[in-house]
Amino acid sequence: MDNDLVPIRHLVPALVALVLLACGILAAPVAAAPAGASPTSVNFAQETVGKTTPAQAVTISDPDPGAVHIVAVAIGGADPGDFAISGETCAAAILAQGEACAVEVSFSPQAGGWREATLVLSIEGELPVMVPLTGTGQTKMLTVPASAAFATATVGGAVTEKVQLKNDSEAGLNVNEVKIEGTDSGDFG
């Protein structure tokens, strides 16, 4: 017998498995699932434009056999400038089964309204892990009446009128200064 030939008895198990697989009797091996994220999305509380929320952690884990190599961690999507990675242990990490790393993300809205982005972890040889990030930017809004009607006053006399300021934002508001400007502003005070 030639040493380059494999005896048929060594090929029988592989041939039987191939036939069973082709007939649908044996299931095909399932590829390992990619790394998983917890939580699978992050929704930040409403935050005032220009302020920053406390960071929230996203844990990335490898639930299956085989190593997961994370090559990059970034924020993309519609409003990436409103979210920031404030700490992470995932970039260039190689996770074995059961191991995990974390990414801390904060929200600092640059404009009012609904803001959204995506935390993206690029994995070597797999689809990226994507975690939606959302939050609402709150602008401070103060409503001031366009005018105030005063009763008639005698020269040198005084009449008072209340002018109501309304805070239309959902955040607290401090009024540091009130000015009276315009024509004849010296007559009011």
Side-chain angles (χ1 to χ4, degrees):
M1 185 162 115
D2 190 359
N3 287 339
D4 292 339
L5 298 176
V6 177
I8 190 83
R9 64 183 154 89
H10 293 288
L11 295 176
V12 170
L15 291 172
V16 169
L18 185 60
V19 169
L20 293 175
L21 182 62
C23 293
I25 298 169
L26 181 65
V30 178
S38 178
T40 56
S41 65
V42 179
N43 184 21
F44 288 90
Q46 191 168 14
E47 184 59 74
T48 303
V49 171
K51 301 271 183 163
T52 303
T53 65
Q56 291 191 37
V58 176
T59 302
I60 308 302
S61 60
D62 179 8
D64 292 320
V68 170
H69 181 197
I70 301 170
V71 280
V73 179
I75 294 177
D79 305 305
D82 293 301
F83 300 87
I85 296 171
S86 52
E88 59 92 8
T89 60
C90 291
I94 298 175
L95 305 177
Q97 182 179 14
E99 290 184 332
C101 62
V103 179
E104 293 185 355
V105 182
S106 57
F107 175 51
S108 181
Q110 304 302 302
W114 182 255
R115 315 301 289 165
E116 61 186 348
T118 304
L119 174 64
V120 180
L121 292 101
S122 299
I123 312 277
E124 185 176 282
E126 295 181 18
L127 293 174
V129 173
M130 301 175 80
V131 180
L133 307 171
T134 57
T136 302
Q138 176 63 53
T139 55
K140 293 182 178 183
M141 298 183 311
L142 182 64
T143 303
V144 180
S147 63
F150 287 84
T152 304
T154 58
V155 174
V159 176
T160 60
E161 180 69 30
K162 282 186 178 182
V163 176
Q164 186 172 354
L165 308 177
K166 183 180 177 193
N167 179 4
D168 288 327
S169 64
E170 294 184 19
L173 186 64
N174 294 324
V175 178
N176 297 324
E177 183 179 16
V178 176
K179 286 184 178 179
I180 298 173
E181 296 178 337
T183 308
D184 302 322
S185 61
D187 292 341
F188 301 89

